[in-house]
Amino acid sequence: AALMDLVLGKLPDDEDGEEQAEGASEDAPQRIKVAVAGRPNVGKSTLINALIGEDRVIAFDMPGTTRDAIKVDFEVDGQPFRLIDTAGLRKKGKVFEAIEKFSVIKTLQAIEQSNVVILVLDAVDGISTHDAHIAGFALESGRALVVAINKWDGVDSYKRKLVDNDLETKFHFLKWARFIHISALKRNGLNHLMKAVRDAHAASFAKLSTPKLTRAMMAAVEQQQPARSGRLRPKLRYAHQGGMNPPVIVIHGNSLQAVSDSYKRYLEGVFRDTFDLAGTPLRVEFRTNKNPYADGEDKR
Ligand SMILES: Nc1nc2c(ncn2[C@@H]2O[C@H](COP(=O)(O)OP(=O)(O)OP(=O)(O)O)[C@@H](O)[C@H]2O)c(=O)[nH]1
Ligand SMILES: [Mg+2]
């Protein structure tokens, strides 16, 4: 969101108010909003046309073909989707850049307003650090993410290995995301892709009960205690869900400010495994009990 503020800083609010991110809403929205994002020319528009079975958006072998965020509604097996085609993002210095000035803003907005992002990569062109930056933005925005490695028809087995190795090094921070090899042109792998989108969406709107979360947390603590930090011994008491899309898990207790980042990551991993939260970012937050009588450990 920081990047979004940076980009939007000097610009008028031009979007329709209807399109709010639904992170705070009680239930998953009926229609799954999917932003299709990636570098210019990777095949985003081709993918959308392949999914809907019509040539509804313009695809062309020229970077910068799509200038605006275009919405297309369609259904798969009775599940309504809204696909949002976006302009390809380039990276220049610390900010994103598109062929046209306003395209980048529309693209970043489309990501923020979606429930799931399909990040399209180009196997023929190879995996670049720009791809990882776009993934990083999706991650920061909290959206569920599926990575589509497109143009798989255009690479031989040698290049396929190179691409997969590259993905492991450049996308190691996305271990929880699904990676699907597709050919938008030949319409291969599209069922797999949409299944992954539905799973990621379900995970990002998962309902996690307080007793189940607390039980999982207790089991994690039993397995491995949080380390003492100076005179502070963190005490984890219970956990509840603080939000969806992405799921937020709030842990209550004492001296939680002393919990290390690595222990926090350990807890995230436990929650991911326990509740099958593949495909979505996950946030674990700590809330320390302010009651001085309940906080005896700190006083001594
Ligand atoms: N071999 C191969 N070519 C593809 C595939 N998908 C797309 N292409 C080609 O890649 C080129 C770019 O496709 P687009 O769909 O316009 O790409 P885009 O990501 O929408 O590009 P921008 O709108 O400029 O950001 C076109 O020539 C497509 O035919 C694929 O699966 N295999
Ligand atoms: Mg396009």
Side-chain angles (χ1 to χ4, degrees), residues 41 43-46 60-61 64-66 88 150-151 153 183-185:
N41 217 46
K44 301 177 293 299
S45 299
T46 307
F60 194 64
D61 193 10
T65 301
T66 304
N150 192 31
K151 307 196 186 179
D153 61 286
S183 166
L185 202 64

Side-chain angles (χ1 to χ4, degrees), residues 60-224:
F60 194 64
D61 193 10
M62 184 182 76
T65 301
T66 304
R67 303 295 171 91
D68 210 345
I70 299 162
K71 297 160 193 162
V72 183
D73 289 353
F74 83 123
E75 282 189 16
V76 184
D77 301 330
Q79 169 63 56
F81 287 91
R82 169 164 296 170
L83 296 174
I84 306 148
D85 193 8
T86 69
L89 291 176
R90 295 151 179 258
K91 192 102 192 311
K92 197 185 181 192
K94 279 196 160 70
V95 293
F96 290 114
E97 188 189 54
I99 302 284
E100 283 193 2
K101 218 173 164 184
F102 284 86
S103 309
V104 63
I105 292 153
K106 299 266 181 173
T107 295
L108 297 181
Q109 276 179 337
I111 290 175
E112 294 233 323
Q113 290 161 358
S114 68
N115 308 125
V116 183
V117 175
I118 297 178
L119 173 64
V120 183
L121 307 179
D122 185 334
V124 172
D125 203 39
I127 310 305
S128 78
T129 50
H130 296 186
D131 294 319
H133 281 122
I134 300 172
F137 177 74
L139 181 63
E140 211 180 291
S141 74
R143 299 307 132 216
L145 182 72
V146 175
V147 180
I149 305 137
N150 192 31
K151 307 196 186 179
W152 206 235
D153 61 286
V155 285
D156 58 20
S157 61
Y158 175 75
K159 184 82 194 278
R160 285 180 179 194
K161 274 213 190 82
L162 279 184
V163 167
D164 281 341
N165 286 341
D166 236 13
L167 282 171
E168 259 179 49
T169 53
K170 292 191 176 115
F171 282 75
H172 58 87
F173 64 99
L174 281 182
K175 283 201 178 64
W176 47 264
R178 285 255 217 98
F179 289 75
I180 316 281
H181 302 99
I182 65 164
S183 166
L185 202 64
K186 301 256 159 78
R187 301 188 180 184
N188 287 331
L190 303 187
N191 289 337
H192 271 119
L193 180 66
M194 292 318 278
K195 169 79 167 65
V197 167
R198 288 175 82 150
D199 290 348
H201 179 259
S204 84
F205 283 93
K207 283 195 173 145
L208 313 167
S209 76
T210 300
K212 281 185 180 163
L213 281 172
T214 302
R215 224 174 294 138
M217 183 199 80
M218 293 301 191
V221 170
E222 186 127 322
Q223 199 82 82
Q224 192 188 323

